[in-house]
Amino acid sequence: MTGLPPNLPPAAAAYRDAFPAGELVAFPLTDLDTVGIPVWVVALFPDNPALDGIMPYGVGYGQDEGQAVLGALGEIAEMVFPTLSLSARTKTRGCYAELAAVLGDDSVADPLTLCLPAGSLVGRHTPLDWVEARRWRDGSTVLVPIDLAAYSSKELEPHYRPFTTIISNGMGAGPDLEWAVGHGLLELLQRDGNGLLFRALDQGKLLDLPATLPAATRALLDRFDQAGIELMPKFATAEFGIANLYCVGRERDGREPPTPIMLTGCGEAAHPDRDQALTKAICEFAASRARKAFAHGPRALAERVAPPGYVERFMARSGAAAKSSDPRAFEAMTEWTHAPASRLAGWLAGSVHAVRSHKPFGELPAAPIADGSARARATIDAVAAAGMDILYVDMSPPGVDLACVKVIVPGLEVETMSYARIGERNTRKLLDRDLGLVGFGPTTSSRRPVRLTEEAVERLGGQPWFDIERAAELVGPLYPLYREPEAHHVAAAAKEPA
């Protein structure tokens, strides 16, 4: 074990002790940027052959080193425990219609409520692999497609082809089940709430911050100001009574960032309390700048902060993780790494860095949230009060006081602008925005039917389509804002002979 700071918080030590045998390597990325907010990488090189092809690592951040290392260890947990759990778990093979006829409609998740890709051929009669989830409300068993439960392709049967690109959204970890479910649920709410309102579709609602922010948050703002960086915290939504916001920024006065890709940094947050949401978004923005420089900047930059041989060992292990399975992300990131800061700034000017209106910070939800347990309870209660069904796949390691889950909520939607996953909620949102992305009438190779239940089609007033070519046009060169390739792969490919 190398690099971990002494006197780890008890929660960080609990993660460390629960991991399978292997070598932990930890080091800070903080010095890659000028802001000084702690950002750490922790990687696990496991001895367990069940994890071959998986490179468990995390990037953590916070107001001190302990928080940063804890966050990184939590990300490792969300990579390791799903693979060790799901790859060995029995899968049920069958279609929704057959399984529901035997088990009951409430015991099987309907694929038509799970945000399928537009034009997908998957339906209620499509054979799928299913794994067991639990309903938070009453603990009952619900089968869900492994396509949504998995973290990586390692957890699938050898010849199984998932109906959508596997993503980690909804993963949660913590000291107990409630904490982990709340963690994963907030991640789902974050992306469901901001997915059509930032990045290439940025609505440009800048938050007007008061002078009476907590001292710790004000200190974070001062760090960026002293570094010559214009911080731009923005408002996404307050659905479910959750403050959903994000933070972007750019160097002032014609300065350039230490590495051009830092201009594309973004921090996201969803939290019942606006002050804590803002603090998280600011810290994550700092982490995003450093992480992108490390993961996708010049290899010499990564080797400057990483221990000798780390990048080579990382490259040798990685490959099956969820983030390595998107060729479009790899190609677009390759273009980014060759772009000067001025070109990246031009691509971002009309969206990510645009300001079109202002939102008073004091209008966002506020709540007395003391810790992660209170945060989880408030979030779970808010989603349940909205009538949504919270499901979770429990992948917790046995015999330790830690929980790891994948949360799935039928009706919440992610990855519309990247993987064309869309359901009733995002159809309604895009109809309201009138961007030419959804409509009614004949379908084409580009205008693909949104896969919905008959009831949802009736509520919408007809069968809608989603235009994938229009989505690609709107995203343009900004695709890596949505999906990134695995770390260090672009820099490594640049050195390969033609």
Side-chain angles (χ1 to χ4, degrees), residues 25-33 39-41 57 59 258-259 261-262 289-315 337 486-492 495:
V25 177
F27 51 94
L29 303 183
T30 314
D31 289 346
L32 289 177
D33 203 359
V39 183
W40 275 70
V41 167
Y57 76 103
V59 178
T259 303
I261 200 171
M262 287 181 171
R289 284 172 56 97
R291 179 190 60 77
K292 288 189 176 189
F294 174 72
H296 306 301
R299 182 161 176 170
L301 197 64
E303 292 173 341
R304 194 182 90 197
V305 293
Y310 169 84
V311 174
E312 288 79 4
R313 293 178 69 190
F314 184 102
M315 293 291 296
T337 60
E486 185 59 277
H488 311 305
H489 280 56
V490 169
K495 291 189 173 185

Side-chain angles (χ1 to χ4, degrees), residues 401-451:
D401 292 329
L402 283 175
C404 182
V405 301
K406 182 75 171 286
V407 180
I408 299 166
V409 179
L412 294 183
E413 304 185 27
V414 296
E415 301 300 342
T416 296
M417 297 302 290
S418 54
Y419 300 145
R421 291 182 60 189
I422 182 169
E424 184 178 1
R425 276 170 63 80
N426 278 2
T427 297
R428 288 188 182 279
K429 292 175 183 179
L430 290 174
L431 284 169
D432 290 342
R433 292 198 70 181
D434 194 23
L435 297 170
L437 284 165
V438 295
F440 300 95
T443 59
T444 66
S445 59
S446 176
R447 292 180 170 182
R448 301 181 179 181
V450 179
R451 304 288 286 122

Side-chain angles (χ1 to χ4, degrees), residues 70-240:
L70 174 60
L73 291 168
E75 288 197 346
I76 292 177
E78 292 172 6
M79 295 182 72
V80 167
F81 297 141
T83 297
L84 295 179
S85 171
L86 288 186
S87 58
R89 191 173 298 184
T90 301
K91 286 85 175 175
T92 300
R93 182 70 176 174
C95 70
Y96 168 82
E98 294 169 343
L99 294 171
V102 175
L103 302 173
D105 292 346
D106 287 346
S107 297
V108 190
D110 185 348
L112 296 178
T113 67
L114 299 178
C115 195
L116 294 170
S120 173
L121 299 178
V122 170
R124 291 170 173 166
H125 296 278
T126 306
L128 300 170
D129 280 357
W130 306 75
V131 293
E132 184 178 286
R134 294 281 177 182
R135 179 172 281 114
W136 179 261
R137 183 177 68 245
D138 57 14
S140 58
T141 300
V142 183
L143 293 181
V144 297
I146 195 170
D147 315 56
L148 303 184
Y151 184 92
S152 84
S153 59
K154 287 282 290 185
E155 293 134 46
L156 308 180
E157 295 300 317
H159 302 295
Y160 188 77
R161 295 292 176 265
F163 58 67
T164 186
T165 306
I166 294 172
I167 59 172
S168 59
N169 192 248
M171 289 299 309
D176 56 52
L177 191 61
E178 184 180 59
W179 185 306
V181 170
H183 178 189
L185 183 56
L186 271 176
E187 187 173 275
L188 283 178
L189 292 175
Q190 178 178 288
R191 290 295 174 86
D192 173 85
N194 68 23
L196 300 177
L197 299 174
F198 79 149
R199 298 175 176 161
L201 301 184
D202 198 305
Q203 61 183 346
K205 287 190 178 182
L206 189 70
L207 286 169
D208 286 335
L209 302 180
T212 55
L213 290 170
T217 307
R218 180 57 60 184
L220 293 173
L221 296 173
D222 290 343
R223 283 178 179 261
F224 282 94
D225 187 53
Q226 293 161 9
I229 298 170
E230 179 188 3
L231 202 64
M232 305 172 73
K234 292 185 174 183
F235 172 73
T237 179
E239 286 184 286
F240 304 98

